[in-house]
Amino acid sequence: MARNSQAPRIAKSRAGIRPLPGRARSESDNAHSDLMNGEIGLDALAGHAGYAVRRFQIWVFQDFIRTLGSVDIRPTQYSVMTVIGANPGLSQMAVAKRLGIERARLVHLLDSLEQRELVRRVKSANDRRSHALHLTARGRTALAQFKRLAAEHERHVAEKIGKENREKLLQILSDFT
Amino acid sequence: MARNSQAPRIAKSRAGIRPLPGRARSESDNAHSDLMNGEIGLDALAGHAGYAVRRFQIWVFQDFIRTLGSVDIRPTQYSVMTVIGANPGLSQMAVAKRLGIERARLVHLLDSLEQRELVRRVKSANDRRSHALHLTARGRTALAQFKRLAAEHERHVAEKIGKENREKLLQILSDFT
DNA sequence: GGAAGATTGTTGTTGACGACAACAATTGTT
DNA sequence: AACAATTGTTGTCGTCAACAACAATCTTCC
């Protein structure tokens, strides 16, 4: 979770900003006023993958945080626990590299998870610099529930963009997983 | 630079291992060690759209920032100028609502852009509370160059995930644009 | 075997960003 | 005219990525 953010309080009045009715446009459309209709013309951003991905990512993370709100787990915490659960004994360096987060950042994440007794740092015998990361017993049962809630979250995503679209998306971005 | 450290080199090497031959796994699979091979097992994160989207979004933004580095324009600044360029005279409130950013945040963004003489806040005649936003002459020519660089960035995205995949992605996420 | 270099976990700083809260000026509503 | 709502602004808080520096501990190489 590299989340960018948020504590999505409650999606108040602004549940969703509706885009415009789409006209087919070429990506090389030049900027020009588009105010003939009452709406704000933003076709200028239509061809930009990064913008759409960013907006979508914010939506997804907010839903994740809301759906896992009852257990107070954020996307990054979830990813850390998932990787440790699947690969017990990993070092902090290995986990950080795997998830693409700074090892400096992982320190705080683990501090929090260890405080909640979901994860344990065990001194490594081979390399006394590093810690072997493990889930606690509580961590394992907790992760099982987190996964159930995460699955529910994934269903929300499927509802939002369509089941097939979600699968296509996962396929397109599989290299980044 | 260090930015490229985010490049998914690990994911790449794992690409072939992913769908394990054997049993069909459900997304709520319990965690279990997957270390038989030398790689770190992360199949546990494979079915999560948010994670893939997040990693991809980071990659895209880093490429955007690098590609537009010579003109020192970040994605948010670009989106603000694009919207103003396409809809001159818009109020700050309207721009913020359109881009889904806080109007408080837009204040700083506009301060920066106005300082660089790319954007102007003009006092609105109708509503003396609000400002009508316009690009300066310099802003218009600058935006034209930004768009050329942004198009180059989009080509990088197409190279990364494939031309058709990029288009499919834009289509899937068109509601968020 | 020991010095030099690299790695691991840690602490701290910086800057971008989202969410909120409060405020003055202005507009709208009644 | 009184009261509510909107707009831009300022400021605070928390999350996150990117760096830099450091002590402790390997690893390498002579």
Side-chain angles (χ1 to χ4, degrees):
Chain A
M1 54 202 114
R3 325 207 46 343
N4 259 304
S5 36
Q6 348 52 16
R9 234 19 208 154
I10 292 178
K12 21 164 98 150
S13 56
R14 195 128 250 329
I17 303 174
R18 264 301 61 80
L20 320 178
R23 80 184 222 258
R25 17 133 280 283
S26 85
E27 297 173 10
S28 44
D29 242 345
N30 257 338
H32 63 351
S33 185
D34 214 334
L35 294 172
M36 316 177 306
N37 51 42
E39 301 282 353
I40 300 176
L42 321 109
D43 301 302
L45 286 171
H48 297 68
Y51 183 75
V53 168
R54 172 67 173 159
R55 295 294 295 261
F56 178 59
Q57 189 256 313
I58 291 176
W59 184 90
V60 170
F61 268 49
Q62 283 178 344
D63 184 85
F64 187 100
I65 293 172
R66 189 166 0 107
T67 305
L68 292 248
S70 57
V71 292
D72 191 29
I73 285 289
R74 314 186 94 252
T76 313
Q77 296 174 310
Y78 177 80
S79 67
V80 169
M81 285 192 63
T82 296
V83 168
I84 296 177
N87 309 273
L90 239 44
S91 71
Q92 296 185 196
M93 192 63 206
V95 170
K97 208 183 289 184
R98 169 59 183 95
L99 293 176
I101 62 186
E102 292 268 328
R103 59 190 204 280
R105 170 144 177 61
L106 189 57
V107 171
H108 302 297
L109 286 166
L110 289 175
D111 285 348
S112 156
L113 293 174
E114 204 170 23
Q115 204 163 3
R116 291 168 67 177
E117 300 193 36
L118 297 173
V119 167
R120 270 190 59 204
R121 281 188 252 225
V122 180
K123 301 209 134 204
S124 168
N126 327 358
D127 188 338
R128 281 157 52 202
R129 292 171 301 181
S130 68
H131 295 155
L133 301 175
H134 295 271
L135 296 185
T136 64
R138 161 186 297 194
R140 273 187 293 276
T141 64
L143 180 57
Q145 185 190 1
F146 300 165
K147 289 194 174 183
R148 282 192 294 273
L149 291 170
E152 184 187 333
H153 155 70
E154 288 297 325
R155 284 193 292 275
H156 298 167
V157 174
E159 282 171 26
K160 184 70 176 177
I161 65 176
K163 187 169 178 297
E164 321 74 26
N165 282 340
R166 173 181 165 276
E167 281 163 14
K168 182 67 179 172
L169 195 74
L170 283 170
Q171 178 216 313
I172 292 175
L173 302 182
S174 61
D175 274 11
F176 293 87
T177 301
Chain B
M1 347 196 116
R3 321 199 109 92
N4 295 358
S5 64
Q6 297 271 12
R9 43 181 257 292
I10 298 179
K12 206 100 202 207
S13 56
R14 284 193 48 69
I17 322 174
R18 231 197 326 111
L20 284 180
R23 61 201 247 265
R25 59 190 257 321
S26 80
E27 295 178 6
S28 46
D29 240 346
N30 260 337
H32 68 312
S33 183
D34 212 335
L35 294 172
M36 315 178 305
N37 50 45
E39 302 283 350
I40 300 176
L42 319 110
D43 301 301
L45 287 173
H48 297 69
Y51 183 75
V53 168
R54 174 61 174 164
R55 295 293 297 259
F56 178 58
Q57 189 255 315
I58 290 176
W59 183 91
V60 170
F61 268 48
Q62 283 178 343
D63 184 85
F64 187 99
I65 293 172
R66 187 165 3 104
T67 305
L68 293 247
S70 56
V71 292
D72 191 28
I73 286 289
R74 315 190 93 254
T76 313
Q77 296 174 309
Y78 177 79
S79 67
V80 169
M81 286 192 64
T82 296
V83 168
I84 297 176
N87 309 274
L90 239 44
S91 72
Q92 297 185 195
M93 192 63 206
V95 171
K97 209 183 287 183
R98 169 60 183 95
L99 293 176
I101 61 186
E102 291 269 327
R103 60 191 204 279
R105 169 138 181 65
L106 188 57
V107 171
H108 301 297
L109 287 166
L110 289 175
D111 285 347
S112 157
L113 293 175
E114 206 170 21
Q115 204 163 5
R116 290 168 66 175
E117 299 192 39
L118 299 172
V119 168
R120 269 190 60 203
R121 281 188 254 225
V122 180
K123 300 208 139 204
S124 168
N126 328 358
D127 188 338
R128 281 158 51 203
R129 292 171 301 183
S130 68
H131 295 156
L133 301 175
H134 295 271
L135 297 185
T136 63
R138 163 187 295 194
R140 273 186 293 276
T141 64
L143 180 56
Q145 185 189 1
F146 300 166
K147 289 196 174 183
R148 281 193 295 273
L149 291 169
E152 184 186 333
H153 155 70
E154 288 297 325
R155 283 193 292 275
H156 298 166
V157 174
E159 282 172 25
K160 184 70 177 178
I161 65 177
K163 187 169 180 297
E164 323 74 26
N165 282 341
R166 174 181 165 277
E167 282 163 15
K168 182 68 179 171
L169 195 75
L170 283 171
Q171 177 215 315
I172 293 175
L173 302 182
S174 60
D175 274 12
F176 292 88
T177 301

